Amino acid sequence: MSEINRWSLRCENVTNPEGTHRYILRIEWDKMKKKATVLLIQPVTANPVELDTTTVNVINNLARLGYGGCDIVNLFSLIGNKVDMKKSIIELSHENNLGYIERSCVKSDTVIIGYGTVGEGVRKIMDYQHQLLHEKLEPFKDKMYMICDPYIDKGLHPLCPRIKHSWRLVKMFE
């Protein structure tokens, strides 16, 4: 005898009219469970049907941790394969991006920082991250965690091989 289990992912994607900036990718698989906002680096695609490796890793790990959905937001909203460090913050992140990040954090049970070490040594990126975490997202510090290395409290990106199958979330602010 066979058993049929049906699951579906409900996706919502918000971009600018030109499709050059993605503000949020909302994915839900169980609306009865808690929801996370995951702050990553930069979207690779604006197409919610073509899930990249990072998005799949996020969904898999959140499901293992008991979540039923997430909003994937990014430091930089400009769609591309790699952050162009020569561009200004204004070019990398559309003015609407921050508002989407903040609204997502309000609605989520947990805020997870997953941008790893991007921008280390690049003053404008480090300043932007500091401003975002310590000014704009300060109201959410009680529910803010980072994806960490299994052995030390160092932030990692979901594509890091050491954490691909198991996330260790560490509280950002004590």
Side-chain angles (χ1 to χ4, degrees):
M1 181 120 172
S2 299
E3 180 179 331
I4 298 173
N5 294 300
R6 296 185 195 274
W7 291 90
S8 60
L9 290 177
R10 182 175 177 261
C11 297
E12 181 178 297
N13 192 44
V14 181
T15 65
N16 67 336
E18 299 79 24
T20 56
H21 288 263
R22 185 180 81 197
Y23 308 120
I24 191 166
L25 175 59
R26 184 168 287 128
I27 305 166
E28 183 181 82
W29 53 93
D30 188 340
K31 64 182 174 185
M32 303 307 288
K33 293 183 178 179
K34 59 189 176 179
K35 178 182 165 192
T37 293
V38 182
L39 180 60
L40 299 174
I41 303 166
Q42 178 179 23
V44 173
T45 179
N47 183 346
V49 177
E50 255 182 78
L51 299 179
D52 62 5
T53 307
T54 300
T55 303
V56 172
N57 283 354
V58 168
I59 293 168
N60 290 345
N61 278 288
L62 287 175
R64 287 181 194 115
L65 291 169
Y67 288 85
C70 68
D71 286 351
I72 296 177
V73 294
N74 292 279
L75 284 172
F76 310 114
S77 59
L78 182 65
I79 296 168
N81 288 323
K82 188 176 179 187
V83 178
D84 184 348
M85 300 291 183
K86 294 177 183 170
K87 291 185 185 263
S88 70
I89 298 296
I90 294 169
E91 291 173 296
L92 292 169
S93 191
H94 192 271
E95 62 187 343
N96 293 337
N97 195 45
L98 183 56
Y100 279 96
I101 293 171
E102 290 175 309
R103 286 190 293 279
S104 177
C105 291
V106 167
K107 296 177 184 178
S108 292
D109 299 291
T110 309
V111 177
I112 300 171
I113 306 302
Y115 52 71
T117 58
V118 70
E120 274 189 1
V122 180
R123 174 56 67 201
K124 69 181 174 186
I125 306 290
M126 292 170 48
D127 289 347
Y128 181 67
Q129 290 169 332
H130 186 271
Q131 176 194 15
L132 185 66
L133 289 177
H134 298 283
E135 295 174 24
K136 304 296 183 183
L137 300 183
E138 197 274 335
F140 313 109
K141 68 180 182 180
D142 292 341
K143 60 181 179 178
M144 195 175 297
Y145 295 81
M146 69 177 161
I147 304 168
C148 281
D149 183 283
Y151 308 106
I152 59 171
D153 294 347
K154 180 179 179 182
L156 297 174
H157 184 274
L159 286 181
C160 179
R162 286 190 301 249
I163 61 160
K164 182 178 180 181
H165 299 292
S166 179
W167 284 3
R168 184 172 76 94
L169 299 179
V170 173
K171 194 99 161 114
M172 288 281 295
F173 303 100
E174 294 295 337

